[in-house]
Amino acid sequence: MHIDLDQIEAAFAGTPLAGLPIGHGPSGSVLVADVDPERLREAWQAADALVPVIGRLPVLVSDDVDDEMTIRQEPERGPSGSELRAFVEAARSSEPWLAYRRHSEDHVAGEGGVEHHARGAAGVDLMALVSDVVLPTPVPELERTLYERLLTDTDLHAQVLDSVRLVTQFDYWYTPDSVLLMLLPTTDVRACAYWVDFFGALTLEDRQELAEVLAQWRHRWEARLVASWGTMLQFQVGRRPTPGDDAWAAAGQLKALAPNLELSRWEVAVALAAGDAWFVHNRP
């Protein structure tokens, strides 16, 4: 793909990206340096609005976590059109939720484990909601029962929401000291995963599965990838899951992709229905 840096720079006029250093990045990408960490969303939104003009999807990255994120003097070859098409087709036929799966899906809760699940990470006690549950019981069934009964208790639901809503707000996002904007040589949501550096997708096959996740989330929730910080991904969500089945399904997928997000699934489901920023954390 021909890279016209002057054209991209001209398109940035009047945006938070105007005047920032711009140059060639890894594998056919373009890097914009010196993005203000205090204006991350504004910078990304400006670039996202320009996708029809510049033909490139934006994602925020950092050289704090990746030494390869430096501007090059010459363009670096990226995947060929046929390579990228093969990547996208493999992603489309993948089954990501067989690979991204919570280990607790196979666990059973006994007498000693119910309190752990009923308190969650935020510490709101829901033991009264599951006092009649016959034990032992599969953890997924226990968590679903907790969530369904929580939705019928206005006071308890309000307590939980007050405790967990921050995790789906932009203030919760991680902010590196040094930020760059990477412009990917594609407008295909699946294809963009080829360039995403994420601990939860270390191999080519992993990235293909991640690509399908990105496509599914964009289609269902209008979730757009804003930032990739190595062990973290951050999304802006245009369509919140509604409380109930929608939020429960979204929470299960988010927990599967983000095993280091320290909330119970029922807590995540409550938070997702009340926020527009998703945070994925998967670390060693």
Side-chain angles (χ1 to χ4, degrees):
M1 175 184 285
H2 173 67
I3 303 174
D4 190 334
L5 297 179
D6 290 338
Q7 181 185 29
I8 295 173
E9 195 167 17
F12 288 166
T15 77
L17 301 168
L20 296 182
I22 184 171
H24 303 290
S27 302
S29 67
V30 169
L31 286 178
V32 182
D34 297 344
V35 176
D36 184 352
E38 300 298 319
R39 303 186 68 191
L40 294 186
R41 282 181 60 212
E42 294 95 324
W44 176 85
Q45 287 171 339
D48 188 58
L50 289 171
V51 169
V53 177
I54 62 177
R56 288 172 174 265
L57 287 172
V59 59
L60 295 168
V61 296
S62 176
D63 53 8
D64 286 352
V65 295
D66 189 344
D67 295 338
E68 292 297 308
M69 291 302 167
T70 57
I71 289 178
R72 289 126 167 93
Q73 295 302 312
E74 298 293 333
E76 187 174 285
R77 182 186 178 277
S80 66
S82 60
E83 288 173 326
L84 209 53
R85 285 191 294 274
F87 178 88
V88 168
E89 286 309 307
R92 200 187 306 274
S93 61
S94 69
E95 297 288 346
W97 304 118
L98 295 180
Y100 293 115
R101 188 171 180 275
R102 298 170 64 209
H103 296 303
S104 63
E105 294 291 318
D106 302 320
H107 294 174
V108 173
E111 290 287 349
V114 174
E115 183 175 0
H116 167 73
H117 293 286
R119 285 189 181 276
V124 179
D125 188 354
L126 302 190
M127 281 293 290
L129 297 184
V130 288
S131 59
D132 62 339
V133 171
V134 177
L135 301 175
T137 188
V139 166
E141 293 182 17
L142 175 63
E143 290 191 317
R144 184 62 194 258
T145 299
L146 280 163
Y147 179 61
E148 289 179 348
R149 294 180 178 180
L150 178 63
L151 290 177
T152 67
D153 190 313
T154 304
D155 290 339
L156 271 179
H157 186 275
Q159 288 181 48
V160 171
L161 179 57
D162 187 56
S163 299
V164 304
R165 69 188 315 155
L166 179 63
V167 301
T168 54
Q169 294 177 342
F170 295 106
D171 288 348
Y172 188 75
W173 279 3
Y174 172 75
T175 303
D177 294 328
S178 176
V179 180
L180 302 92
L181 179 73
M182 184 162 65
L183 301 173
L184 309 175
T186 183
T187 58
D188 186 303
V189 173
R190 286 185 178 89
C192 80
Y194 183 94
W195 287 268
V196 172
D197 175 30
F198 176 51
F199 179 75
L202 296 177
T203 68
L204 179 65
E205 183 179 7
D206 292 340
R207 293 204 307 275
Q208 290 163 351
E209 290 161 346
L210 176 63
E212 183 59 20
V213 172
L214 298 182
Q216 289 182 17
W217 283 6
R218 173 71 71 91
H219 174 73
R220 188 164 185 184
W221 315 116
E222 195 56 35
R224 311 171 85 86
L225 180 63
V226 174
S228 172
W229 311 129
T231 60
M232 291 166 277
L233 302 175
Q234 292 168 181
F235 294 82
Q236 175 177 291
V237 179
R239 187 163 51 248
R240 296 178 183 180
T242 55
D245 291 342
D246 272 0
W248 185 252
Q253 292 182 357
L254 190 66
K255 284 285 291 179
L257 194 64
N260 297 106
L261 183 60
E262 296 180 354
L263 289 179
S264 297
R265 183 173 176 178
W266 55 267
E267 291 174 304
V268 175
V270 170
L272 291 183
D276 304 313
W278 289 7
F279 179 77
V280 169
H281 193 194
N282 188 329
R283 59 173 173 75

